[in-house]
Amino acid sequence: MDKPRFSKTLRGVTCNLGETAVLECETEGSPVPSVTWLLDNQKLEKSARLETSSVGQKHSLTIKEACPDDGGLYTVVALNSKGQASCSAPLNLKLSLLGLPKEDSRPTTPGGTVLPHAPVFKVKLNKETQLLEGTSVRFELVVRGNPEPEVKFLKDGKVLKLDDRVRVVYESKEVFELILDHVVAKDAGTYTIIATNVEGEDKTVGNLSVVKHKDVFKGLELEEVEREPTPRPKTPKFRWFKNGEYFEANERFQVIFNEEEDSLALMFQHVTPEDAGLYTCVASTSSGSKIACSAELTVQGVIRQVEAPSIKADLTDAEATEGGSAMLELKITGYPKPKVTWFHKGKEVSTGGRIRFLFADEETFTLVIKNVTKNDGGKYSVKATNEMGEAESTCNLTVLSAPSFVKGLKDMSVMADELLKFEVEIDGNPAPEVKWYKDGKPLAAGDRIKIVDKAGKQSLEIPKCKPTDSGSYSCVITNDLGNQAEFSNVVVKASPTFVKGMENVKGVEGDTLKFNVEINGNPKPTVKW
C-alpha cells in the first residue's frame, strides 16, 4: 500500500471568457486515492457548469462557459488511508471581442511584420496566491517582445535560486512555466519576473503565502464530511442603457470586465451614426445596492462601410538577374485594412536581410528582394485577410543567370578502339547553347561523333577512337548573359603495329640494300633492328 502521489500534475491554463477550460492530473497510490477539487483553497461549489471526472487514476475538471468568478488557483487533493498529496495550477481568463478574430496586440507594419517593441506580459502572476504546504504548483506565463526579451526571476528582491525543486520550463520563446515542487514554508514571499530588451521592460509581481493543510481544509479526511464551502466574493452585475432604454450587446458590441484592474468597457466595432446617444452603466451588488454612470457618444466624420479584401491590381510575373534586385507589387483594398501576408513556394516570407516590404500608399504593397539568388525563383503569393473575408494573388519570379559549369572537362588518356566520351553539367537561365571544338575547329554530330543533350547534361562520344583523335577539345556554353568554356587535352594511345612489313630485296655484291617498314603507335614506338 502506498500513499498518494501525482504522476502528472496540474498545468496552468489560459482561456477566453465564455470558453471551456479543462484541468487534468494523474495519481498513483494504493488503495486508489479519492480526489477533491479546491479553488483558492476553498472547496468547489457544485454547479451545472462544472464537471469532475475520475477514470481509474486519471482525473479532470471541466469548466464550461468560463466567467470571471472561475479565475484563480485550482488545487486537487488526493487522499487514501496511507496519506494525502496535492498539486495546484492557475486558471487565467482573457477577454475576447465578439465578432473579431483573436487579437495579436504586437505592433506590426501594414503587411503584418512584427515591429520592435518593449516586452509585455500577456499572462501574469496572480497578485495574491495561497499555497498548501507540500503541494506542487505550475504558474504559466506569457511574455512578448521584439527583440526576444531576457527574463529574470527574483524572490524578495534577490535572484531566485533554481534547482530540481524550483525550476523554469520553456515551452516556446514566449511561453514558460515557473514550477515549485513540494512547496515548503520558505517558498513564501514576493516573486518578481522581469522581461527586458533594448526597447524597454515589463514585470509581473505576485505574493505567495504558504499554509498547512489543516489550516485550509481541516476535517477533509478519507471519509470526507460534507460541509458548506466558504462563498467567494461575487462579481457585480452590470446593465447598460442607451437613451434610457435597456441596451443589449450584439455582434458589433462587447462588454469587457477586467477584474484585476477593476475596469469595465463597452467596445464598439465599426461605429455607425445610429450608435450615437447617451449610454448609462448600472452596477448592482448582491446586497442590492446600485451605482450608475453615463457618457455621451458622438459620431463624426464619414462612416466607411466594412469591405472584404479585394485585389485592385494583381501580381504579375517578373524576371530578375542573379545578383540583381527583384520587385513584386500589387494593390489591395478593404476595410478594416487587411492583414497582408507574402508566401514563397507555400512558406511565409519574413522581412530582414535581403528582403524588404514597402508601402507606397494605403493600397500598394511591394516585396523587394536584393542580391537575388537562384533559390529566390518560383511561385509567390499574397493573402489579404480581414474579418469580412480574404483575397489572394499569385505570380512567378524567374531568375536569369549567366552560363556556368557544374561539372567541367578534364584531361584524358584512352586506348585506341575504346570509347572517347566527354561529359559536362551546365547551368544558366535561359538555357545555354552548347558548342564543341577540337583544336579550335567546330565539331558536329556525324558518323563517328555522337552529341547528346539531356536536361542540363551534355556529352560528346567518339566510338572506337583513333590516335588521330588526340588533341585539345573544348566545350563553349553561351546565353544572353555571357559565355564560359572548359578544355580537355586528350591522348589516344595505340599499341605498335606494322602498317607495312619488310619485303625481300635482291642485290649484288657492293650494292646498298634498303629495307622499308611503316609502323603505327602512340606514343611513338621505339624501333630496333
Side-chain angles (χ1 to χ4, degrees), residues 258-524:
N258 190 325
E259 188 173 21
E260 183 177 335
E261 298 180 2
D262 292 329
S263 64
L264 184 71
L266 176 63
M267 302 292 293
F268 291 77
Q269 181 187 1
H270 311 313
V271 176
T272 67
E274 290 75 20
D275 295 326
L278 180 67
Y279 289 82
T280 302
C281 176
V282 179
S284 304
T285 65
S286 57
S287 64
S289 61
K290 296 182 179 182
I291 56 173
C293 61
S294 301
E296 181 84 19
L297 173 63
T298 303
V299 180
Q300 298 177 338
V302 178
I303 304 302
R304 182 174 177 181
Q305 295 297 320
V306 293
E307 174 189 356
S310 176
I311 306 298
K312 188 175 179 181
D314 270 302
L315 291 171
T316 57
D317 291 345
E319 291 184 349
T321 303
E322 187 175 12
S325 297
M327 181 180 294
L328 306 177
E329 187 174 274
L330 79 165
K331 291 182 179 291
I332 302 172
T333 60
Y335 185 79
K337 188 171 183 178
K339 177 183 177 181
V340 175
T341 308
W342 291 81
F343 298 90
H344 177 219
K345 297 178 181 178
K347 294 184 179 180
E348 185 174 346
V349 177
S350 300
T351 186
R354 300 182 301 111
I355 298 176
R356 290 286 184 271
F357 297 143
L358 301 181
F359 311 96
D361 52 49
E362 287 296 308
E363 297 180 351
T364 305
F365 298 84
T366 306
L367 170 65
V368 176
I369 307 172
K370 297 181 178 180
N371 299 322
V372 171
T373 68
K374 296 171 186 175
N375 291 334
D376 293 324
K379 180 182 177 182
Y380 284 80
S381 62
V382 171
K383 181 178 287 187
T385 58
N386 65 16
E387 52 263 43
M388 303 305 297
E390 65 179 42
E392 190 171 355
S393 181
T394 62
C395 72
N396 191 71
L397 174 64
T398 301
V399 178
L400 305 177
S401 59
S404 62
F405 285 94
V406 178
K407 175 184 177 183
L409 295 175
K410 58 183 179 180
D411 294 343
M412 290 190 293
S413 178
V414 297
M415 294 300 296
D417 293 328
E418 292 183 353
L419 172 66
L420 175 58
K421 184 176 182 179
F422 303 91
E423 287 184 308
V424 294
E425 293 182 19
I426 62 174
D427 192 16
N429 193 12
E433 178 186 11
V434 181
K435 292 184 177 180
W436 295 89
Y437 297 86
K438 178 179 182 292
D439 297 329
K441 296 180 180 180
L443 294 174
D447 293 339
R448 295 192 62 245
I449 297 176
K450 181 181 179 182
I451 296 177
V452 178
D453 180 359
K454 184 184 295 183
K457 294 183 179 181
Q458 300 277 337
S459 65
L460 183 145
E461 300 177 3
I462 303 177
K464 296 185 178 181
C465 61
K466 303 176 181 179
T468 54
D469 292 322
S470 299
S472 176
Y473 289 79
S474 60
C475 178
V476 179
I477 54 177
T478 307
N479 70 9
D480 296 338
L481 301 179
N483 59 70
Q484 195 171 354
E486 281 282 314
F487 298 89
S488 173
N489 291 314
V490 175
V491 175
V492 179
K493 297 181 179 180
S495 301
T497 57
F498 284 95
V499 178
K500 180 181 178 182
M502 295 180 61
E503 296 180 351
N504 295 329
V505 177
K506 292 182 180 181
V508 296
E509 187 176 359
D511 287 346
T512 298
L513 300 178
K514 185 177 182 180
F515 296 91
N516 293 319
V517 294
E518 293 183 15
I519 59 176
N520 191 10
N522 192 17
K524 185 177 180 181

Side-chain angles (χ1 to χ4, degrees), residues 67-130:
C67 66
D69 285 340
D70 296 323
L73 183 73
Y74 283 80
T75 300
V76 59
V77 181
L79 295 165
N80 69 10
S81 57
K82 302 300 292 183
Q84 63 185 28
S86 63
C87 65
S88 305
L91 171 61
N92 302 301
L93 296 175
K94 297 192 302 182
L95 306 172
S96 176
L97 298 180
L98 291 177
L100 287 175
K102 292 184 179 179
E103 183 180 3
D104 186 345
S105 59
R106 292 175 289 190
T108 61
T109 66
T113 302
V114 178
L115 296 171
H117 62 279
V120 176
F121 278 94
K122 307 304 291 185
V123 176
K124 304 179 179 181
L125 291 173
N126 293 332
K127 291 183 179 179
E128 298 290 340
T129 301
Q130 187 182 74

